[in-house]
Amino acid sequence: MNSLLIGLTAASILLSGAAIIYALSQRRARDDAEAALSDAEQAGEESAAALEAAQAAQGKLESERDRLSTSLSEAEDKAQRYRAAIDRLPLPIWVRDETLSLADFNSAHLAAVGMSAEDARTQQAELPEGSGRLKLKNLAARAHQEGAVQSLRVHAVTNGERRLFEISECPLPGGGQLGIARDLTELEERSAELKRHVDAHREVLENLDVAIAMTDPELRLVFANAAYMRLWDIDEGFLATQPMLTEVWDYLRERRRLPEQADFAEYRRQNLRNIQNLIEPKEELLHLPDGSTIRTTTTPHPLGGMLFTFEDVTDLLYLERTYNTLVAVQSETLDKLYEGVAVFGADGRLKLHNPPYREIWGFGPQALEGEPHVRQLIDGNQALLGVPDDRWEDYRTRLVAGASEAKEGRGRFDLTDGRAIEWTQVPLPDGASLFTYVDISDTIQVERALRERNEALETADRLKSEFIANISYELRTPLNAITGFAEILGNEYYGTLSDRQKEYADAIVKSSDQLMALINDILDLASIEAGYLQLEMESVDVAELMASTQMLAAERARSRQLALAIDCPKDIGCITCDERRLRQALFNLVSNALKYTPPGGQVTVCAWRENGTLHLTVRDTGIGIPEEDQARVFGRFERAGGRGQGHGAGLGLSLVKSLIELHGGHIELASHPGEGTEVSCVLPEQPPAALGDEEKDGDAAAASA
């Protein structure tokens, strides 16, 4: 545009000069013709040849005048057209004379300054006015001095708007200067908008977690975000120098942040060639010496240069490997499971299954290919499910709906081939349902056999208890007679007995008492097992209970040369229990301790409260119970082997355990061979609620039966 304007202006000036030259030449020709004519007239008649020459010269001058007149007319027309064209240009244009004063303007300049041509010439209206006027004067002077085009960008207010102009001053041939002002306001606005977009784009890239770097067409690193600096551990000062890409590679290699290469120079040259010839985006993985893996993407930038993105995928690759391994393990695990496993999606199609599933339902390998719908699978097993035709549609609809809904469920299929299949449905997070199928036919048969056997054992145990109870009752009557007659004989009511006879009578009474105690224990156990032994609950003073137990066992302890001690606080208070049964249990424990403690030993009966319970403990210094016997000593008719001093029927500890459990408590045993045994009865302070009359009556009736 500048060249065109300068050309037009130069052409206009040349035409004006041609017109002036033409006028001067015409005047000179006329003066010459008049001089020649005068000379000719003076010569007159001196020479006809001279006259003819003058006439010929005048004809030539007239012809030349006509030609120059035509040329001047054409030049004036062209000058007017050029002037009109310059006036129509939207750019302000002005002309300065040799003194650099404004001499002429086009319409755009006059419109910009808001003046007429005369006023603008008179006031020397520059564009812009004010402080910018001096800048334009200096620009014009510099162009005049250097004889070359000079340009300057300034802001000016035109028509009430602030605009940016680029002012150019161009020296003209023959003197004077041509000035042009280009309006760059729109370019300035577009540049500002572009800068905002670039800044916003840069801000977005800066805040991304993905490492990003950009180079210019010369492969100089011109941008790198914070993630890039963190990933590669590059100093910000180094990046501020906008290093070449090869310099960045050297920097990273020094810090072992690039893959190890046998020939790094060749690696760098090959990389550089690949980048320079790159057309489409390229992605590759970099395996660094520290074990991390970086995924890099190289993309040609639309404005030239390259765009690089880097992402640390070490954890991602580890998770992917772990996931693939987990899937393989799960798949192998499912295949090795005994249960049949099938996963049906929300659309009712089979997504996953294992071999036992095929075996349970008798499907061939091809029948389960292509994710068949559950309706197809159900139809293939109609005969196996054994559902009549008139009920099949409803039955199948329910099964299809259940398989398509993600819900929990369980049930059992009794198949026509005699098998029983137990199924379980579990909803999965993606809306699918996991079904497991187990063939429990053998389990049901074993369960049935065990149930029948258990019923037989319960019947036999009940018969045994009833038999023992009946036998015990039958033995009590003759035993009472034997005991009574033996006591009569021992008391010598019917005559004096010899020492041996008296010894025999005492032995009969003692043995009868032992047998009676054994029978009572058997009856108590039978009553407890039958469920109709009723406790007579009352408030019992624990200290008095301990004292009465000591009194009952004191004579036996003295006879065995044993110390019997009581350790019980006087203010221990009361407990609600059946006093007779609790004393019986405690006395059995004391008797057992006296029986198995060597002479000179000690038996201690303790009582204390702890955490809402009452502890009644019998501790002896006897021979102890081996660890392998401790688990069975509370069973019926069980005796710990090797305890030495006599053998009982093995009912004492069993009866104690049953009585304590009737009170809602439990037994604790601690024993070490050679050190002694400690048996604790732990009773709740509040006993369990008594049974109602109806329950008692029912239990009694059951026991009687």
Side-chain angles (χ1 to χ4, degrees):
M1 178 61 74
N2 287 337
S3 300
L4 175 60
L5 294 174
I6 293 171
L8 291 174
T9 305
S12 176
I13 294 172
L14 289 175
L15 288 175
S16 299
I20 295 170
I21 293 171
Y22 170 74
L24 293 174
S25 63
Q26 186 179 20
R27 179 178 296 176
R28 188 177 297 112
R30 187 172 59 248
D31 291 342
D32 291 343
E34 289 177 354
L37 182 59
S38 176
D39 292 339
E41 288 176 352
Q42 289 178 4
E45 300 171 353
E46 292 180 2
S47 175
L51 179 59
E52 291 177 0
Q55 290 176 348
Q58 184 176 4
K60 289 181 180 180
L61 288 175
E62 290 178 354
S63 175
E64 183 66 21
R65 182 185 60 187
D66 292 340
R67 186 182 66 78
L68 290 176
S69 178
T70 302
S71 298
L72 179 60
S73 177
E74 292 175 356
E76 289 177 349
D77 291 340
K78 289 182 180 180
Q80 290 177 357
R81 288 197 298 270
Y82 285 141
R83 177 67 187 213
I86 292 174
D87 277 341
R88 287 187 174 89
L89 288 175
L91 304 177
I93 299 175
W94 59 91
V95 178
R96 298 181 187 273
D97 57 17
E98 289 78 359
T99 64
L100 301 182
S101 298
L102 294 176
D104 200 0
F105 320 89
N106 71 344
S107 299
H109 181 89
L110 296 176
V113 298
M115 297 182 184
S116 65
E118 188 65 28
D119 292 340
R121 190 176 294 108
T122 302
Q123 299 181 20
Q124 291 292 295
E126 297 279 3
L127 182 69
E129 292 288 347
S131 61
R133 187 169 188 170
L134 180 59
K135 294 181 180 179
L136 292 185
K137 286 289 187 181
N138 294 334
L139 180 68
R142 191 165 63 250
H144 178 71
Q145 291 173 0
E146 297 183 5
V149 177
Q150 300 293 322
S151 298
L152 173 70
R153 291 187 179 185
V154 294
H155 286 90
V157 178
T158 61
N159 298 325
E161 297 181 359
R162 186 174 184 269
R163 316 288 292 181
L164 174 66
F165 291 96
E166 183 181 56
I167 309 298
S168 297
E169 290 283 346
C170 175
L172 295 176
Q177 289 186 176
L178 176 69
I180 303 174
R182 286 196 302 157
D183 191 344
L184 301 181
T185 305
E186 185 175 356
L187 177 61
E188 182 184 36
E189 293 174 352
R190 295 291 181 268
S191 299
E193 184 177 0
L194 177 61
K195 184 177 183 304
R196 287 195 299 271
H197 281 290
V198 170
D199 292 343
H201 183 65
R202 182 182 293 269
E203 184 69 20
V204 171
L205 295 181
E206 188 68 30
N207 293 324
L208 288 178
D209 291 333
V210 178
I212 297 176
M214 288 187 290
T215 67
D216 59 13
E218 298 178 356
L219 296 183
R220 186 177 297 277
L221 195 65
V222 295
F223 173 78
N225 64 354
Y228 178 87
M229 290 185 285
R230 289 196 303 269
L231 177 64
W232 296 111
D233 193 20
I234 296 182
D235 182 62
E236 187 175 359
F238 173 71
L239 294 179
T241 63
Q242 295 189 351
M244 298 295 294
L245 190 57
T246 53
E247 295 175 349
V248 176
W249 291 343
D250 292 337
Y251 181 94
L252 295 177
R253 183 196 178 208
E254 292 174 0
R255 288 157 178 77
R256 292 177 56 81
R257 294 295 292 162
L258 283 180
E260 296 288 354
Q261 301 293 331
D263 188 349
F264 183 76
E266 178 59 26
Y267 168 79
R268 184 174 58 181
R269 284 193 296 270
Q270 183 63 36
N271 255 5
L272 196 59
R273 284 195 297 269
N274 293 339
I275 291 175
Q276 290 171 342
N277 298 328
L278 191 64
I279 299 176
E280 298 293 332
K282 179 184 177 182
E283 181 177 307
E284 61 179 338
L285 294 178
L286 300 179
H287 301 284
L288 305 187
D290 62 358
S292 59
T293 302
I294 307 298
R295 179 168 59 198
T296 174
T297 303
T298 307
T299 306
H301 198 281
L303 301 179
M306 291 291 168
L307 172 66
F308 299 92
T309 62
F310 305 90
E311 185 178 2
D312 190 343
V313 295
T314 307
D315 295 339
L316 181 63
L317 293 178
Y318 173 75
L319 290 177
E320 185 176 352
R321 290 194 299 270
T322 304
Y323 172 78
N324 292 335
T325 302
L326 182 61
V327 169
V329 171
Q330 289 179 343
S331 178
E332 190 67 21
T333 302
L334 288 177
D335 290 346
K336 301 301 182 184
L337 286 177
Y338 171 75
E339 298 87 349
V341 177
V343 176
F344 289 93
D347 57 356
R349 294 194 172 275
L350 182 65
K351 305 296 183 182
L352 177 68
H353 68 281
N354 65 347
Y357 173 77
R358 293 198 307 266
E359 296 172 2
I360 289 174
W361 294 105
F363 292 120
Q366 297 180 351
L368 302 181
E369 293 180 355
E371 297 188 358
H373 196 272
V374 65
R375 186 183 298 274
Q376 299 173 244
L377 303 179
I378 295 173
D379 288 339
N381 285 285
Q382 180 179 0
L384 194 60
L385 293 171
V387 180
D389 293 340
D390 57 341
R391 295 173 45 211
W392 177 248
E393 288 296 331
D394 293 340
Y395 183 78
R396 181 178 61 180
T397 301
R398 289 199 304 272
L399 291 183
V400 172
S404 303
E405 296 178 6
K407 62 180 181 180
E408 293 185 358
R410 62 176 56 250
R412 193 173 83 183
F413 292 114
D414 294 316
L415 306 183
T416 55
D417 60 1
R419 291 182 299 154
I421 307 298
E422 186 178 61
W423 61 270
T424 303
Q425 180 181 3
V426 178
L428 299 180
D430 61 352
S433 293
L434 171 68
F435 286 85
T436 59
Y437 302 90
V438 182
D439 188 345
I440 60 171
S441 306
D442 295 339
T443 303
I444 291 177
Q445 293 177 3
V446 172
E447 182 181 352
R448 186 182 299 114
L450 290 176
R451 188 179 294 109
E452 293 174 354
R453 182 179 179 183
N454 186 59
E455 291 175 355
L457 290 175
E458 289 179 352
T459 301
D461 188 65
R462 187 175 65 254
L463 292 175
K464 181 195 70 174
S465 299
E466 292 176 357
F467 173 76
I468 292 175
N470 290 333
I471 291 298
S472 299
Y473 277 114
E474 295 298 330
L475 288 177
R476 178 176 289 182
T477 300
L479 187 59
N480 287 334
I482 293 173
T483 304
F485 288 133
E487 289 178 349
I488 290 174
L489 291 175
N491 292 330
E492 300 180 348
Y493 289 147
Y494 294 101
T496 303
L497 300 178
S498 65
D499 292 340
R500 178 165 292 185
Q501 290 173 336
K502 192 171 183 179
E503 182 180 352
Y504 288 159
D506 291 340
I508 293 172
V509 172
K510 185 176 180 180
S511 298
S512 299
D513 289 341
Q514 292 177 353
L515 184 58
M516 182 63 70
L518 176 60
I519 291 173
N520 289 335
D521 288 346
I522 292 174
L523 289 176
D524 288 340
L525 281 175
S527 299
I528 293 173
E529 290 178 356
Y532 59 82
L533 179 63
Q534 299 180 14
L535 299 179
E536 298 178 359
M537 308 299 285
E538 59 181 332
S539 180
V540 177
D541 188 287
V542 177
E544 292 181 0
L545 176 65
M546 302 289 285
S548 63
T549 302
Q550 182 184 26
M551 183 178 63
L552 290 174
E555 182 60 31
R556 183 177 297 184
R558 282 194 298 271
S559 66
R560 293 182 177 275
Q561 300 178 6
L562 299 174
L564 179 61
I566 300 295
D567 183 6
C568 176
K570 294 182 179 180
D571 58 349
I572 194 170
C574 300
I575 185 174
T576 301
C577 63
D578 186 327
E579 182 179 6
R580 185 172 71 87
R581 295 299 183 183
L582 189 57
R583 183 184 293 110
Q584 179 183 0
L586 197 58
F587 182 74
N588 278 0
L589 291 178
V590 173
S591 299
N592 202 61
L594 294 174
K595 183 188 299 183
Y596 294 107
T597 301
Q602 180 173 339
V603 176
T604 305
V605 184
C606 307
W608 75 90
R609 295 182 183 273
E610 182 180 15
N611 297 329
T613 58
L614 175 66
H615 290 251
L616 301 177
T617 301
V618 177
R619 185 185 305 117
D620 64 51
T621 58
I623 59 176
I625 303 174
E627 185 176 357
E628 61 272 15
D629 293 336
Q630 293 180 14
R632 61 182 182 84
V633 293
F634 289 102
R636 288 175 296 174
F637 305 105
E638 291 287 349
R639 295 185 294 271
R643 297 198 61 168
Q645 297 186 9
H647 303 280
L651 293 176
L653 291 179
S654 177
L655 181 60
V656 170
K657 180 174 181 294
S658 298
L659 291 174
I660 295 302
E661 289 177 350
L662 277 178
H663 283 81
H666 64 276
I667 296 291
E668 296 178 354
L669 173 66
S671 180
H672 300 282
E675 297 181 6
T677 301
E678 178 178 303
V679 181
S680 296
C681 302
V682 182
L683 298 169
E685 293 183 354
Q686 296 296 329
L691 296 174
D693 294 338
E694 295 181 357
E695 293 178 321
K696 293 179 182 179
D697 294 343
D699 291 342
S704 299

mmCIF file of all heavy atoms in Angstrom, residues 72-99:
data_model
loop_
_atom_site.group_PDB
_atom_site.id
_atom_site.type_symbol
_atom_site.label_atom_id
_atom_site.label_comp_id
_atom_site.label_asym_id
_atom_site.label_seq_id
_atom_site.Cartn_x
_atom_site.Cartn_y
_atom_site.Cartn_z
ATOM 1 N N LEU A 72 0.044 18.259 -22.478
ATOM 2 C CA LEU A 72 -0.300 18.926 -21.221
ATOM 3 C C LEU A 72 -1.723 18.631 -20.822
ATOM 4 O O LEU A 72 -2.017 18.370 -19.638
ATOM 5 C CB LEU A 72 -0.096 20.433 -21.368
ATOM 6 C CG LEU A 72 -0.430 21.267 -20.130
ATOM 7 C CD1 LEU A 72 0.432 20.839 -18.941
ATOM 8 C CD2 LEU A 72 -0.250 22.752 -20.435
ATOM 9 N N SER A 73 -2.610 18.595 -21.779
ATOM 10 C CA SER A 73 -4.015 18.292 -21.476
ATOM 11 C C SER A 73 -4.149 16.874 -20.919
ATOM 12 O O SER A 73 -4.868 16.618 -19.945
ATOM 13 C CB SER A 73 -4.855 18.477 -22.744
ATOM 14 O OG SER A 73 -6.196 18.120 -22.485
ATOM 15 N N GLU A 74 -3.422 15.953 -21.596
ATOM 16 C CA GLU A 74 -3.479 14.571 -21.110
ATOM 17 C C GLU A 74 -2.880 14.451 -19.704
ATOM 18 O O GLU A 74 -3.406 13.730 -18.843
ATOM 19 C CB GLU A 74 -2.721 13.666 -22.079
ATOM 20 C CG GLU A 74 -3.406 13.531 -23.440
ATOM 21 C CD GLU A 74 -2.575 12.717 -24.416
ATOM 22 O OE1 GLU A 74 -1.429 12.330 -24.029
ATOM 23 O OE2 GLU A 74 -3.063 12.421 -25.516
ATOM 24 N N ALA A 75 -1.766 15.179 -19.481
ATOM 25 C CA ALA A 75 -1.136 15.126 -18.154
ATOM 26 C C ALA A 75 -2.053 15.698 -17.083
ATOM 27 O O ALA A 75 -2.139 15.181 -15.967
ATOM 28 C CB ALA A 75 0.194 15.878 -18.182
ATOM 29 N N GLU A 76 -2.737 16.811 -17.445
ATOM 30 C CA GLU A 76 -3.660 17.389 -16.462
ATOM 31 C C GLU A 76 -4.805 16.426 -16.152
ATOM 32 O O GLU A 76 -5.244 16.292 -15.008
ATOM 33 C CB GLU A 76 -4.190 18.712 -16.999
ATOM 34 C CG GLU A 76 -3.148 19.819 -17.014
ATOM 35 C CD GLU A 76 -3.691 21.100 -17.625
ATOM 36 O OE1 GLU A 76 -4.782 21.017 -18.212
ATOM 37 O OE2 GLU A 76 -3.030 22.139 -17.478
ATOM 38 N N ASP A 77 -5.292 15.712 -17.188
ATOM 39 C CA ASP A 77 -6.353 14.717 -16.942
ATOM 40 C C ASP A 77 -5.865 13.605 -16.013
ATOM 41 O O ASP A 77 -6.564 13.185 -15.074
ATOM 42 C CB ASP A 77 -6.826 14.126 -18.273
ATOM 43 C CG ASP A 77 -7.593 15.143 -19.117
ATOM 44 O OD1 ASP A 77 -8.073 16.132 -18.515
ATOM 45 O OD2 ASP A 77 -7.717 14.937 -20.332
ATOM 46 N N LYS A 78 -4.656 13.107 -16.296
ATOM 47 C CA LYS A 78 -4.119 12.050 -15.436
ATOM 48 C C LYS A 78 -3.916 12.551 -14.015
ATOM 49 O O LYS A 78 -4.199 11.846 -13.036
ATOM 50 C CB LYS A 78 -2.795 11.556 -15.996
ATOM 51 C CG LYS A 78 -2.937 10.742 -17.271
ATOM 52 C CD LYS A 78 -1.573 10.228 -17.741
ATOM 53 C CE LYS A 78 -1.712 9.405 -19.016
ATOM 54 N NZ LYS A 78 -0.400 8.906 -19.483
ATOM 55 N N ALA A 79 -3.403 13.794 -13.897
ATOM 56 C CA ALA A 79 -3.180 14.339 -12.555
ATOM 57 C C ALA A 79 -4.486 14.449 -11.790
ATOM 58 O O ALA A 79 -4.562 14.164 -10.587
ATOM 59 C CB ALA A 79 -2.490 15.699 -12.653
ATOM 60 N N GLN A 80 -5.555 14.844 -12.477
ATOM 61 C CA GLN A 80 -6.856 14.941 -11.810
ATOM 62 C C GLN A 80 -7.359 13.558 -11.379
ATOM 63 O O GLN A 80 -7.929 13.386 -10.304
ATOM 64 C CB GLN A 80 -7.858 15.617 -12.751
ATOM 65 C CG GLN A 80 -7.585 17.105 -12.984
ATOM 66 C CD GLN A 80 -8.540 17.725 -13.964
ATOM 67 O OE1 GLN A 80 -9.396 17.028 -14.533
ATOM 68 N NE2 GLN A 80 -8.394 19.037 -14.188
ATOM 69 N N ARG A 81 -7.128 12.564 -12.285
ATOM 70 C CA ARG A 81 -7.569 11.214 -11.916
ATOM 71 C C ARG A 81 -6.776 10.681 -10.714
ATOM 72 O O ARG A 81 -7.337 10.076 -9.790
ATOM 73 C CB ARG A 81 -7.419 10.273 -13.110
ATOM 74 C CG ARG A 81 -8.451 10.524 -14.209
ATOM 75 C CD ARG A 81 -8.531 9.328 -15.158
ATOM 76 N NE ARG A 81 -7.269 9.081 -15.834
ATOM 77 C CZ ARG A 81 -6.932 9.634 -17.000
ATOM 78 N NH1 ARG A 81 -7.770 10.483 -17.602
ATOM 79 N NH2 ARG A 81 -5.765 9.362 -17.572
ATOM 80 N N TYR A 82 -5.439 10.921 -10.752
ATOM 81 C CA TYR A 82 -4.627 10.488 -9.613
ATOM 82 C C TYR A 82 -5.057 11.193 -8.332
ATOM 83 O O TYR A 82 -5.104 10.605 -7.252
ATOM 84 C CB TYR A 82 -3.152 10.749 -9.889
ATOM 85 C CG TYR A 82 -2.528 9.771 -10.870
ATOM 86 C CD1 TYR A 82 -1.603 10.203 -11.826
ATOM 87 C CD2 TYR A 82 -2.871 8.417 -10.824
ATOM 88 C CE1 TYR A 82 -1.046 9.314 -12.725
ATOM 89 C CE2 TYR A 82 -2.312 7.534 -11.727
ATOM 90 C CZ TYR A 82 -1.405 7.968 -12.674
ATOM 91 O OH TYR A 82 -0.853 7.090 -13.561
ATOM 92 N N ARG A 83 -5.371 12.486 -8.470
ATOM 93 C CA ARG A 83 -5.806 13.251 -7.297
ATOM 94 C C ARG A 83 -7.124 12.690 -6.753
ATOM 95 O O ARG A 83 -7.301 12.529 -5.537
ATOM 96 C CB ARG A 83 -5.985 14.720 -7.696
ATOM 97 C CG ARG A 83 -6.514 15.605 -6.577
ATOM 98 C CD ARG A 83 -5.506 15.746 -5.477
ATOM 99 N NE ARG A 83 -6.054 16.439 -4.342
ATOM 100 C CZ ARG A 83 -5.350 17.229 -3.554
ATOM 101 N NH1 ARG A 83 -4.066 17.414 -3.802
ATOM 102 N NH2 ARG A 83 -5.885 17.830 -2.528
ATOM 103 N N ALA A 84 -8.045 12.363 -7.664
ATOM 104 C CA ALA A 84 -9.323 11.794 -7.242
ATOM 105 C C ALA A 84 -9.108 10.443 -6.564
ATOM 106 O O ALA A 84 -9.761 10.111 -5.561
ATOM 107 C CB ALA A 84 -10.261 11.667 -8.450
ATOM 108 N N ALA A 85 -8.194 9.649 -7.163
ATOM 109 C CA ALA A 85 -7.918 8.337 -6.561
ATOM 110 C C ALA A 85 -7.329 8.494 -5.167
ATOM 111 O O ALA A 85 -7.694 7.768 -4.227
ATOM 112 C CB ALA A 85 -6.967 7.545 -7.459
ATOM 113 N N ILE A 86 -6.384 9.450 -4.994
ATOM 114 C CA ILE A 86 -5.774 9.667 -3.679
ATOM 115 C C ILE A 86 -6.812 10.158 -2.683
ATOM 116 O O ILE A 86 -6.813 9.769 -1.508
ATOM 117 C CB ILE A 86 -4.606 10.655 -3.806
ATOM 118 C CG1 ILE A 86 -3.467 10.001 -4.612
ATOM 119 C CG2 ILE A 86 -4.102 11.091 -2.437
ATOM 120 C CD1 ILE A 86 -2.323 10.939 -4.910
ATOM 121 N N ASP A 87 -7.742 11.022 -3.164
ATOM 122 C CA ASP A 87 -8.788 11.512 -2.260
ATOM 123 C C ASP A 87 -9.708 10.388 -1.807
ATOM 124 O O ASP A 87 -10.269 10.431 -0.706
ATOM 125 C CB ASP A 87 -9.616 12.598 -2.960
ATOM 126 C CG ASP A 87 -8.949 13.967 -2.877
ATOM 127 O OD1 ASP A 87 -8.072 14.115 -1.983
ATOM 128 O OD2 ASP A 87 -9.275 14.851 -3.670
ATOM 129 N N ARG A 88 -9.888 9.388 -2.683
ATOM 130 C CA ARG A 88 -10.784 8.287 -2.312
ATOM 131 C C ARG A 88 -10.117 7.258 -1.391
ATOM 132 O O ARG A 88 -10.796 6.400 -0.824
ATOM 133 C CB ARG A 88 -11.284 7.596 -3.579
ATOM 134 C CG ARG A 88 -12.307 8.412 -4.351
ATOM 135 C CD ARG A 88 -12.882 7.602 -5.501
ATOM 136 N NE ARG A 88 -13.955 8.310 -6.168
ATOM 137 C CZ ARG A 88 -13.790 9.158 -7.185
ATOM 138 N NH1 ARG A 88 -12.559 9.405 -7.620
ATOM 139 N NH2 ARG A 88 -14.822 9.769 -7.727
ATOM 140 N N LEU A 89 -8.814 7.317 -1.289
ATOM 141 C CA LEU A 89 -8.143 6.377 -0.387
ATOM 142 C C LEU A 89 -8.566 6.640 1.058
ATOM 143 O O LEU A 89 -8.669 7.788 1.485
ATOM 144 C CB LEU A 89 -6.624 6.516 -0.510
ATOM 145 C CG LEU A 89 -5.994 5.984 -1.802
ATOM 146 C CD1 LEU A 89 -4.502 6.297 -1.830
ATOM 147 C CD2 LEU A 89 -6.217 4.485 -1.921
ATOM 148 N N PRO A 90 -8.789 5.548 1.867
ATOM 149 C CA PRO A 90 -9.204 5.744 3.272
ATOM 150 C C PRO A 90 -8.041 6.136 4.172
ATOM 151 O O PRO A 90 -8.242 6.358 5.366
ATOM 152 C CB PRO A 90 -9.759 4.363 3.654
ATOM 153 C CG PRO A 90 -9.018 3.404 2.787
ATOM 154 C CD PRO A 90 -8.765 4.119 1.488
ATOM 155 N N LEU A 91 -6.842 6.206 3.646
ATOM 156 C CA LEU A 91 -5.683 6.538 4.460
ATOM 157 C C LEU A 91 -5.410 8.033 4.393
ATOM 158 O O LEU A 91 -5.391 8.615 3.302
ATOM 159 C CB LEU A 91 -4.456 5.782 3.960
ATOM 160 C CG LEU A 91 -4.569 4.254 3.878
ATOM 161 C CD1 LEU A 91 -3.291 3.675 3.293
ATOM 162 C CD2 LEU A 91 -4.838 3.678 5.252
ATOM 163 N N PRO A 92 -5.183 8.668 5.538
ATOM 164 C CA PRO A 92 -4.779 10.077 5.522
ATOM 165 C C PRO A 92 -3.430 10.233 4.821
ATOM 166 O O PRO A 92 -2.459 9.554 5.170
ATOM 167 C CB PRO A 92 -4.693 10.452 7.002
ATOM 168 C CG PRO A 92 -5.571 9.454 7.697
ATOM 169 C CD PRO A 92 -5.437 8.196 6.923
ATOM 170 N N ILE A 93 -3.358 11.167 3.798
ATOM 171 C CA ILE A 93 -2.130 11.418 3.039
ATOM 172 C C ILE A 93 -1.923 12.932 2.979
ATOM 173 O O ILE A 93 -2.874 13.701 2.796
ATOM 174 C CB ILE A 93 -2.224 10.830 1.621
ATOM 175 C CG1 ILE A 93 -2.428 9.299 1.690
ATOM 176 C CG2 ILE A 93 -0.974 11.154 0.810
ATOM 177 C CD1 ILE A 93 -2.657 8.657 0.350
ATOM 178 N N TRP A 94 -0.674 13.313 3.130
ATOM 179 C CA TRP A 94 -0.341 14.737 3.053
ATOM 180 C C TRP A 94 1.000 14.906 2.341
ATOM 181 O O TRP A 94 1.778 13.959 2.226
ATOM 182 C CB TRP A 94 -0.316 15.379 4.439
ATOM 183 C CG TRP A 94 0.675 14.729 5.359
ATOM 184 C CD1 TRP A 94 1.969 15.071 5.545
ATOM 185 C CD2 TRP A 94 0.429 13.604 6.211
ATOM 186 N NE1 TRP A 94 2.563 14.263 6.453
ATOM 187 C CE2 TRP A 94 1.637 13.337 6.892
ATOM 188 C CE3 TRP A 94 -0.699 12.818 6.483
ATOM 189 C CZ2 TRP A 94 1.749 12.315 7.799
ATOM 190 C CZ3 TRP A 94 -0.578 11.809 7.386
ATOM 191 C CH2 TRP A 94 0.634 11.555 8.042
ATOM 192 N N VAL A 95 1.219 16.153 1.870
ATOM 193 C CA VAL A 95 2.456 16.494 1.161
ATOM 194 C C VAL A 95 3.095 17.683 1.870
ATOM 195 O O VAL A 95 2.418 18.646 2.231
ATOM 196 C CB VAL A 95 2.190 16.839 -0.311
ATOM 197 C CG1 VAL A 95 3.491 17.247 -1.016
ATOM 198 C CG2 VAL A 95 1.555 15.665 -1.025
ATOM 199 N N ARG A 96 4.403 17.592 2.046
ATOM 200 C CA ARG A 96 5.165 18.692 2.646
ATOM 201 C C ARG A 96 6.034 19.320 1.557
ATOM 202 O O ARG A 96 6.518 18.635 0.639
ATOM 203 C CB ARG A 96 6.045 18.181 3.778
ATOM 204 C CG ARG A 96 5.298 17.569 4.943
ATOM 205 C CD ARG A 96 6.261 17.115 6.039
ATOM 206 N NE ARG A 96 5.572 16.369 7.085
ATOM 207 C CZ ARG A 96 4.981 16.918 8.145
ATOM 208 N NH1 ARG A 96 5.003 18.250 8.276
ATOM 209 N NH2 ARG A 96 4.379 16.173 9.050
ATOM 210 N N ASP A 97 6.251 20.630 1.705
ATOM 211 C CA ASP A 97 7.130 21.320 0.758
ATOM 212 C C ASP A 97 8.573 21.213 1.236
ATOM 213 O O ASP A 97 8.870 20.473 2.185
ATOM 214 C CB ASP A 97 6.708 22.777 0.588
ATOM 215 C CG ASP A 97 6.688 23.526 1.917
ATOM 216 O OD1 ASP A 97 7.313 23.004 2.885
ATOM 217 O OD2 ASP A 97 6.059 24.588 2.008
ATOM 218 N N GLU A 98 9.489 22.013 0.579
ATOM 219 C CA GLU A 98 10.895 21.913 0.920
ATOM 220 C C GLU A 98 11.180 22.341 2.346
ATOM 221 O O GLU A 98 12.177 21.929 2.956
ATOM 222 C CB GLU A 98 11.738 22.777 -0.041
ATOM 223 C CG GLU A 98 11.844 22.237 -1.459
ATOM 224 C CD GLU A 98 10.592 22.515 -2.274
ATOM 225 O OE1 GLU A 98 9.640 23.124 -1.706
ATOM 226 O OE2 GLU A 98 10.520 22.112 -3.445
ATOM 227 N N THR A 99 10.270 23.147 2.938
ATOM 228 C CA THR A 99 10.458 23.590 4.331
ATOM 229 C C THR A 99 9.793 22.654 5.328
ATOM 230 O O THR A 99 9.713 22.959 6.519
ATOM 231 C CB THR A 99 9.880 25.008 4.507
ATOM 232 O OG1 THR A 99 8.466 24.963 4.293
ATOM 233 C CG2 THR A 99 10.531 25.977 3.537
#
